[in-house]
Amino acid sequence: MLVAGAGVTGRSVAAALGGMGARVTVTDANAERLAELADTGAELVPGLTEPPAGTDLVVTSPGWRPSSPLLVAAAEAGVEVIGEVELAWRIAQRLPKPPVWLAVTGTNGKTTTVGMLESILRAHGANAVACGNVGLPVIDAVLAGHEVLAVELSSFQLHWQSSLRVHAGVVLNLAEDHLDWHGSLDHYAHAKGAVYAGATFVVRNTEDDWSTKLAAEHDGTHVGFRLDTPRIGELGVVEDLLIDRAFVDDPANNAVELATLADVRPAGPHNVANALAAAALARAYGVSTDAVRDGLRAFVPGAHRAVPVAESAGIAYVNDSKATNPHAASGSLRSFPSVVWIAGGQLKGASVDDLVKEVAGRLRGVVLLGVDAEVISASLARHAPDVRVERPAPGDDEPMIAAVRAARAMARSGDVVLLAPAAASLDMYRDYAHRGDAFAEAVHRLIQEDDGDTGAS
């Protein structure tokens, strides 16, 4: 068997297949990364462009494109190509008691939702773990013997599976993203929609057209969630309460209270929607209302997701570096009435026009960074021509320090300086976490400079 890719997933796949007695070869273009897998016992061969003779299965890392020469050669040779998620599912079905899969996909909110879901399941007493695109490979979670899996699935992971049939699945939302990989919005959307195939419970966002459309293409028990009063068969919000009208045991009462808005962190409508989606998946598994409330209260949001960094001179600084596409940035920007927005990076083929039109009235100013800064600047000129835009020139400062300095100069007391780039980070940083750390460091450095200038201690 051949493992394509020597990252975290590749290591787990190689170890799992080797433990099952398979003869395993691993390939990767990065020889140094490949060498780190020496302890797996696999044969390590850099830069393969076709599978070795006798290969009967290729397990690819999710980011490898179908057009990669090795994967094309495998398909032409009649060798099956699957991903780690598909392999994990096949292995799980051979266990005496396979784990229950509760799966989350969508353009934005996946990691927050699976984190909430894991917390709710554990509050219920289940042996549960969040896995998949959130960090822990699914195959490791399966082999560890967990009872129920809160699985985050990317469009890449879903593309490389074929037999996955989860107990409950949700497409949280869908907007342009990864079009450079999938080729079109329709292909991207239907990769996401594969999470619904054969699902016992099909959970949809009633306020998202694509989620609703994709859910309608599949059978199963349909459950909706919305940010206003829920209908029968839905979860929603009434005043400050999260309400369930889908999983109700008492015939005399067609609604039950799950939690309050104050129990949801981070705050904001998009995270209330995430909490409702997590609650729907958990309730499909049989979780109690108390566990939903307790799990949401216990949930600790991940780093770089709308995290307050500091406040100085009445200006708040918020790090949402995880907002790596326009849809995610929209949710973040709509959480604040007056914003100096730090944006830019790699748009991956996505348009920002709808985002700019939607949030123009909230913008005090905009600071642009990265390779696609000009694209965002042009959109701002079309749809928010009165908003001040800065693009710091190269100078003595690091780019993020220059950006925060420019944002601070535009901000007024009561404003939020918000890093919500609407773009990926690899043009300037190792990843979104590195970018978020750079923002936080720049904020603290400039506040310290201000304190020194004013003699504060």
Side-chain angles (χ1 to χ4, degrees):
M1 296 187 180
L2 175 64
V3 178
V8 173
T9 298
R11 168 177 284 279
S12 294
V13 169
L17 291 174
M20 296 167 61
R23 181 180 175 183
V24 181
T25 300
V26 183
T27 189
D28 194 290
N30 187 321
E32 291 183 4
R33 184 167 56 195
L34 190 64
E36 294 174 1
L37 271 62
D39 60 343
T40 64
E43 182 181 1
L44 309 178
V45 183
L48 283 176
T49 57
E50 58 183 33
T55 300
D56 55 12
L57 180 70
V58 175
V59 184
T60 180
S61 293
W64 282 45
R65 300 181 187 224
S67 58
S68 299
L70 173 61
L71 305 185
V72 170
E76 291 177 346
V79 178
E80 185 180 19
V81 180
I82 65 172
E84 176 256 344
V85 169
E86 175 69 17
L87 179 66
W89 174 261
R90 295 182 186 185
I91 291 173
Q93 302 318 297
R94 299 178 183 178
L95 299 176
K97 187 177 181 181
V100 175
W101 291 47
L102 306 175
V104 178
T105 194
T107 301
N108 297 301
K110 298 184 295 296
T111 300
T112 296
T113 302
V114 296
M116 290 174 169
L117 177 57
E118 178 191 55
S119 187
I120 292 168
L121 291 166
R122 290 183 175 179
H124 184 68
N127 176 5
V129 68
C131 58
N133 198 52
V134 69
L136 175 69
V138 184
I139 197 164
D140 290 348
V142 167
L143 295 176
H146 293 285
E147 171 189 359
V148 55
L149 309 181
V151 190
E152 177 184 333
L153 294 174
S154 71
S155 59
F156 305 156
Q157 290 171 312
L158 285 162
H159 174 89
W160 291 117
Q161 65 77 39
S162 58
S163 60
L164 182 66
R165 301 293 182 267
V166 302
H167 178 68
V170 62
V171 177
L172 296 171
N173 47 62
L174 198 134
E176 288 185 343
D177 200 15
H178 300 301
L179 302 190
D180 53 347
W181 199 96
H182 289 281
S184 72
L185 178 60
D186 189 68
H187 288 160
Y188 170 63
H190 283 88
K192 294 286 194 184
V195 75
Y196 289 139
T200 304
F201 290 90
V202 174
V203 179
R204 73 189 187 282
N205 181 349
T206 65
E207 298 173 336
D208 184 272
D209 291 343
W210 269 110
S211 179
T212 300
K213 176 182 176 181
L214 293 168
E217 297 174 1
H218 297 275
D219 297 327
T221 300
H222 282 236
V223 177
F225 65 92
R226 62 176 63 238
L227 291 177
D228 56 11
T229 303
R231 302 170 183 171
I232 298 295
E234 296 179 351
L235 286 73
V237 179
V238 178
E239 296 180 348
D240 68 339
L241 301 178
L242 276 63
I243 298 296
D244 178 0
R245 298 189 70 192
F247 302 94
V248 182
D249 298 325
D250 182 1
N253 184 6
N254 66 7
V256 292
E257 177 185 335
L258 298 174
T260 70
L261 293 178
D263 296 323
V264 178
R265 292 172 297 133
H270 55 304
N271 284 315
V272 174
N274 294 337
L276 290 167
L281 295 173
R283 294 283 280 165
Y285 179 67
V287 161
S288 68
T289 56
D290 287 348
V292 173
R293 179 199 62 219
D294 294 345
L296 289 176
R297 289 177 178 174
F299 171 65
V300 177
H304 310 290
R305 293 170 175 84
V307 177
V309 173
E311 184 171 339
S312 177
I315 301 166
Y317 297 83
V318 176
N319 169 19
D320 198 9
S321 184
K322 186 63 169 65
T324 56
N325 56 63
H327 190 272
S330 171
S332 192
L333 286 159
R334 287 187 291 111
S335 297
F336 306 105
S338 184
V339 176
V340 178
W341 179 28
I342 300 178
Q346 298 163 301
L347 288 171
K348 299 169 290 182
S351 168
V352 294
D353 281 353
D354 288 345
L355 168 62
V356 171
K357 285 187 285 187
E358 179 184 18
V359 303
R362 298 174 183 268
L363 299 177
R364 171 83 67 185
V366 180
V367 181
L368 297 176
L369 293 169
V371 66
D372 284 331
E374 191 56 43
V375 177
I376 303 175
S377 179
S379 183
L380 287 161
R382 287 192 297 271
H383 305 297
D386 296 331
V387 173
R388 179 179 170 187
V389 179
E390 295 283 349
R391 188 173 180 183
D396 294 335
D397 285 336
E398 291 294 325
M400 190 61 77
I401 293 175
V404 174
R405 194 185 300 278
R408 181 188 57 179
M410 284 191 273
R412 302 291 181 267
S413 180
D415 288 346
V416 173
V417 171
L418 174 66
L419 175 68
S425 58
L426 297 179
D427 57 330
M428 297 178 67
Y429 299 96
R430 291 191 302 273
D431 50 31
Y432 74 82
H434 182 206
R435 178 172 61 188
D437 289 340
F439 173 75
E441 290 168 8
V443 168
H444 289 303
R445 172 174 161 177
L446 294 179
I447 289 175
Q448 287 173 358
E449 289 180 4
D450 288 346
D451 288 345
D453 290 340
T454 60
S457 61

